[in-house]
Each structure stands twice: as C-alpha cells, then as structure tokens.
Amino acid sequence: MIAMGSTARSLASRAGAAARRPYWQRPSPAYLVRRWPDLTATCVATVFFWLSLTPSLVPRPWYLQGLIGGLNAAIGYALGVTVSWLFRLLVGRRPRPAVRAHAWQAYFLLSPVCAVWLISESAHMQRQLRALQGLPPSLTWHTPMIALITVALWALLLLLARAVRLGASRLIRLLGRLLPRPAAVGLGLLLSSLAVLFCVQDLVFERGVVDIADRISKATDGGTKEGVTPPASRLVSGGPGSYIRWRDLGFQGRNFAGSVLTSEQISDWTGRDAVDPVRVYAGSAAPEAFAYDEDPVAAQVDLAMKELERTGAFDRDVLAIAGTTGTGWVNANVVEPLEYMHDGNTATVALQYSYLPSWLSFLVDKEKAAHATRELVEAVRARWAALPPDERPRLVVTGESLGAYAVEASYERPGELLDNVDGALLLGPPNFSPLSEEIRARRDLARPDAPWEGPRVVYLQNASDPVVWWSYDLLLKRPEWLDDPLGPDITPEINWFPFVTFWQTSVDMAVSYGVQAPHGHRYGAGPVDGWAAVAPREGWTDADTRRLHDFIAARDTPY
C-alpha cells in the first residue's frame, strides 16, 4: 500500500510539473501527454482540416465530415512534426520563446474564426452539391459538432502515436543496456513496428472489425426480406423441384428467387404473350458446398449447372451470367429489364461467394469473388459451346460494383471477353477492375464513323461514383477525372489535395447509396439503355427503350 501510494504521488507530481511548464518551453520526451503540441505541426493539421471541408463526389453528413476532418488533421500533424524535426535537425536552433508565444497567441486568435467561417462555407457548398444531384437543399450542418469530432479524433490519434513513441523510446533504452546503440535503435524500432502492425491488423481489424462484421452478416444471411416468399415457379431455384433448397439460398439469393417476375406481369406491360423467366442461384450455404473441402465453389457451380439443365435454361433466347456483390446481391434493375425486353424468354444464373458486405469482401474475399465467377463462367460457356451454333441462346454477362470486377477478372483482356460472349453490361466497376482499368488507360474518346458492330460491351459509370474512382493513387497523385470537362453532377468547387482527397473519396463510398440515381453508386433505370444496346430482341425500337426506362425508373426500387 505504501509503495502504491508513493507511485501515485510520483505520477501526480510529474503530471503537475508538466502542467506548470510554460508552453514556450520544450517538454520532456518522457511525458506521454504534453501541455502543448508542436506549433508547426498544429498549424499544418489545421490547414489539412480546412482542406477536408471542400466538397467531393457526393454530399456527406456532418458526422462524417468530422471523421474526415479528424483523420486529415492527424495526417497533417504527422507531416508537420516531420517538417519541424527536419528544421531543427538542419538549422540546429529554435525560435526564441517570445516569438513562439506570440505565434501561439496568433493561432488561438485566428484559427477559430477561420474554422467557423470555412465550416459555414462548406455547408453552402454541400447544399450546392445536393441540388446538383437532385437532393433537397435542406442540410443539417452542425458546426460545433464537426469541430468537436475533429478535435476529439485528432487528440485520440495523437495520444496513440505518442504512446507508441514513448514505448519505443523505453524499449530502445532497455535494449541499450545489452546492445550497442545502433543495434538497440534498429531492433527497438523493428519490434515496435511489428507490435503496432499486430495490434492493428490482428487484434483491431481481424479479431475486431472482421469478426463483428462476420457475425452480423452471417445472421443477416440467414434471414429473409419482409414480403419475400418461396417462388411457385419450377423454373426458379428454391422453387418446386429445385435441387437447391430455399433455406440454402442466403438472404440475397432468396430476394433474387422470391421476387421473380411472372409471365402475367411481363404480359401486362408488353401486351404480348410471355413465359416465366428462369432464375438460378447457388448460395454458399448449400450442404453440397461443404463436401468439397478443397474447393467448395466447385460444388456450387455443379449445383448451378444442374439447375440450368433442369430448368431448360439453354433453350432460352438469352442466357445471362450475373456477377454478384459481396453479399451475393443481384440488382433487380439489371435482371428485370432483360426479362421484359425478351418476353420472359431468358435465364439468369448467379453464385454467392460470400455473405460479407462488399467493402469487407474487397479486403478479404476479392480473389474469391474472381475465382467463383470465373468457375461459373467457364462451366456455363463450355456447356453453351457444346450446343450447335444455331441452337445456342445469346450468352451475355453482367455485374455491378464488385460483381463487375468478378466478371472482368474472368477474362485476361478485353478481346477475350468479346471473343467469348455475345454481349456484356457492367455497372460501376471498381477502379481496380482489370479490364475497365485497361480500357480507361487506352480509351479513344472520338466516336468512329463506322457502325457499332457486335458483340457489344457497355459500361455504365456515373461521374460522381466514388467506387469507380477510388484508388490508393489519390494519396499523392491528382486524378484525371478532376480535369475539365467535369461530369455533369460534379461541383466545380471540387479539387485535389494530397491525402485529403483520398479520405474524402473513401468516406464518399460509404454514402454513395445516399443519393438518387443516376448519381453516386446508383444506376437506376440505366440498365434498360444498356441492354437495348447490347442484347435487344428482334424488332425492339428506341420508343420501346424509352417506355421501359420510364417504367423501371417510376418504381420504388432506388437502385
């Protein structure tokens, strides 16, 4: 008890000494919490916060603005500390205490005024962006809360960084008792870096974020959307006679199968005779998938192929292979226009490779998405190619977001895609998608005079879609999509700043569904125009396209 009491008094004494230290004096490196941060670093952090207030691709709520502000302020502070350290290293002296005191006074006087003014201007720019993208101009922009979140997050990250530095310093001193100084410094920095990497990757990310997301997503995958019931059609997975049970389809698979159009619904719109469409979906929860220990995807593909044979999918006019997103989602606004267009004489097949959300699937399942879709594409095409040429359905592929990436990853180059399908419609492919990345790099914006021959591949990507434009290059390189002319739904107030634009675009992806189509990552009725260009039925006209586009756009489905 006496030892504990003396330790507490010692810590209190040291904390009191730190608090009484004048702010113009350099604090001891042994303290975790200094009374005053570095002035140069604080100024750079403040500038980075101001830059984060500029608009980006889509409107964002005030709490995410605070998050971006805190992250960028922390990055700015780190850069400022580096500049300050290099200055002291090269010059060998610091400004006089009186100069530093006046500089701090100027900072405390000017920075709050500038911050309030710039946050207010930011709200004005956000309202302009909302109007540009068809959203109501009303916006709640809590200036004090934005500043509070920014300061709190910046302070937390600063404390964590100082804790790491203090721990590394003490470890180096401990190693210095056993090793020469250079070896102690090198080994101490290495061990500290490995400890930070382990904590962030293993404890925080894998055992924290991933585990929580996995449990939530797994529970969701076991549920069913309200109003969705098992299909009555024998031509749909999970329906009567299906090799795949309803409960094994997963949440998105049940939505896909349970919301299938009927021939009556299609006839009501077309005014012509129609047939029930074929929809095949192989969920990742099928018991057969667990029998293939080395490659469970092979079991899913076998199930999908059996379902395609059972439903007579290869006798249809059009056979579509749909790449899915991380959760296994297939956009109804992509599938249904094709079914209306061809009077239901279509078959669509999809495969679930994960139940995790797309952002997490990108981090942990990206290659699995490519592998699963590639296996399905190759199996379907092999069966399709074995048919006599005059008896083959029109083979098309489609995908949205991570599903578009999965489709692209099934082919080595754009020419191979064109050689192996009768058409493709890809929506909002992520920036890392291999084919679209090559096409963007080698594109020719001049429209050729010759007619557009088949097979055709159509890409739909909104100018304001952050999923399409996000990449690590944004950290240090200005992107081409900010060059004139800007997209029609991008505000001219947008600009690029190192590090800042990367975090803005990263957060934009989280709110890219918060806008209305055709903005952000929503494509609405755009697939109607895409399919009209890629795979129209015989006799289809521009008037038919406009009518179907208006019909799909008028529905409640916002995708």
Side-chain angles (χ1 to χ4, degrees):
M1 293 294 292
I2 295 175
M4 292 179 62
S6 62
T7 301
R9 286 194 297 273
S10 175
L11 292 174
S13 176
R14 294 178 63 185
R20 291 190 297 271
R21 182 183 297 274
Y23 61 77
W24 59 82
Q25 290 186 11
R26 185 177 182 179
S28 168
Y31 290 118
L32 172 61
V33 180
R34 304 184 181 192
R35 184 175 180 183
W36 297 104
D38 182 271
L39 175 59
T40 302
T42 302
C43 291
V44 177
T46 303
V47 171
F48 266 60
F49 164 63
W50 291 345
L51 295 178
S52 75
L53 296 170
T54 57
S56 49
L57 290 170
V58 294
R60 54 182 178 265
W62 59 270
Y63 50 88
L64 288 182
Q65 176 58 64
L67 174 65
I68 296 175
L71 289 171
N72 283 300
I75 294 172
Y77 190 87
L79 293 175
V81 165
T82 304
V83 171
S84 182
W85 174 77
L86 288 174
F87 176 82
R88 292 194 301 269
L89 181 66
L90 297 175
V91 177
R93 61 185 179 87
R94 292 165 57 87
R96 292 181 292 109
V99 174
R100 296 202 301 273
H102 290 312
W104 273 113
Q105 291 167 356
Y107 174 82
F108 287 136
L109 177 65
L110 296 176
S111 61
V113 177
C114 292
V116 171
W117 173 64
L118 289 171
I119 293 176
S120 300
E121 284 296 305
S122 176
H124 175 66
M125 289 185 285
Q126 289 291 323
R127 291 187 182 95
Q128 288 181 324
L129 183 57
R130 289 174 65 87
L132 196 62
Q133 298 189 3
L135 294 173
S138 59
L139 174 70
T140 302
W141 205 242
H142 295 291
T143 299
M145 291 303 298
I146 291 174
L148 181 61
I149 293 173
T150 297
V151 173
L153 181 57
W154 166 78
L156 175 62
L157 294 174
L158 178 60
L159 287 175
L160 290 175
R162 288 182 172 181
V164 171
R165 186 188 64 184
L166 182 58
S169 177
R170 291 186 173 178
L171 178 60
I172 290 171
R173 288 200 300 271
L174 179 63
L175 293 172
R177 300 174 183 177
L178 307 172
L179 301 171
R181 176 68 179 175
V185 171
L187 182 59
L189 293 177
L190 176 62
L191 293 176
S192 299
S193 300
L194 291 176
V196 171
L197 181 63
F198 171 78
C199 289
V200 172
Q201 179 175 330
D202 192 72
L203 297 181
V204 175
F205 182 70
E206 293 185 3
R207 299 187 185 182
V209 175
V210 174
D211 281 356
I212 293 172
D214 181 80
R215 287 195 294 268
I216 294 174
S217 300
K218 190 172 184 178
T220 301
D221 194 56
T224 303
K225 187 176 180 180
E226 185 177 356
V228 174
T229 58
S233 172
R234 299 182 60 86
L235 302 177
V236 181
S237 293
S242 174
Y243 293 115
I244 303 175
R245 296 175 299 183
W246 171 253
R247 66 173 179 267
D248 295 331
L249 289 175
F251 180 80
Q252 297 295 356
R254 285 188 284 274
N255 293 340
F256 175 70
S259 61
V260 64
L261 295 174
T262 64
S263 57
E264 291 79 10
Q265 289 175 301
I266 297 173
S267 292
D268 286 345
W269 184 84
T270 63
R272 298 184 302 272
D273 291 336
V275 296
D276 290 331
V278 171
R279 289 193 184 181
V280 170
Y281 192 96
S284 60
E288 292 83 356
F290 300 101
Y292 288 60
D293 293 334
E294 295 184 359
D295 187 6
V297 169
Q300 292 178 265
V301 172
D302 287 347
L303 274 175
M305 295 304 298
K306 289 173 65 177
E307 283 285 276
L308 289 173
E309 296 287 358
R310 180 187 68 83
T311 56
F314 291 97
D315 298 326
R316 295 293 171 126
D317 285 348
V318 179
L319 173 56
I321 305 172
T324 63
T325 63
T327 59
W329 176 63
V330 180
N331 189 347
N333 281 3
V334 174
V335 178
E336 291 184 6
L338 195 63
E339 294 171 341
Y340 279 112
M341 192 176 293
H342 289 271
D343 299 326
N345 198 6
T346 63
T348 305
V349 57
L351 183 148
Q352 180 189 24
Y353 55 85
S354 174
Y355 51 73
L356 297 174
S358 289
W359 66 270
L360 193 53
S361 292
F362 160 66
L363 295 174
V364 301
D365 273 343
K366 187 173 69 170
E367 295 309 316
K368 188 176 180 180
H371 168 68
T373 307
R374 186 184 305 114
E375 292 290 313
L376 179 61
V377 166
E378 290 177 354
V380 171
R381 193 184 185 284
R383 175 67 178 86
W384 172 86
L387 296 171
D390 58 345
E391 296 181 12
R392 297 172 183 167
R394 196 182 310 187
L395 182 63
V396 296
V397 292
T398 186
E400 181 171 350
S401 194
L402 196 58
Y405 159 79
V407 169
E408 288 195 15
S410 301
Y411 304 94
E412 295 290 336
R413 60 190 186 281
E416 183 183 356
L417 172 62
L418 290 170
D419 292 340
N420 286 277
V421 299
D422 296 315
L425 174 61
L426 302 172
L427 297 81
N431 187 267
F432 54 81
S433 300
L435 301 190
S436 53
E437 185 177 31
E438 179 181 350
I439 291 171
R440 281 193 295 267
R442 301 173 57 185
R443 68 187 183 276
D444 183 357
L445 298 181
R447 184 182 295 273
D449 296 331
W452 188 11
E453 303 292 342
R456 297 176 177 180
V457 177
V458 168
Y459 280 89
L460 297 182
Q461 58 182 56
N462 296 328
S464 58
D465 187 350
V467 175
V468 171
W469 302 126
W470 182 91
S471 75
Y472 290 111
D473 292 345
L474 291 174
L475 285 166
L476 298 172
K477 181 181 178 182
R478 177 185 172 86
E480 291 184 1
W481 49 267
L482 283 179
D483 295 339
D484 290 330
L486 293 173
D489 56 350
I490 297 181
T491 173
E493 303 291 340
I494 195 171
N495 211 328
W496 174 82
F497 304 101
F499 299 102
V500 175
T501 302
F502 171 80
W503 285 112
Q504 286 180 323
T505 309
S506 299
V507 171
D508 282 346
M509 289 197 296
V511 294
S512 59
Y513 279 107
V515 294
Q516 299 298 318
H519 306 289
H521 201 47
R522 293 193 184 275
Y523 289 86
V528 174
D529 305 89
W531 286 128
V534 170
R537 67 168 176 79
E538 186 176 354
W540 188 262
T541 66
D542 291 342
D544 293 326
T545 300
R546 289 191 296 270
R547 179 169 170 257
L548 183 56
H549 185 283
D550 293 343
F551 173 73
I552 297 294
R555 302 186 309 179
D556 293 334
T557 305
Y559 304 114

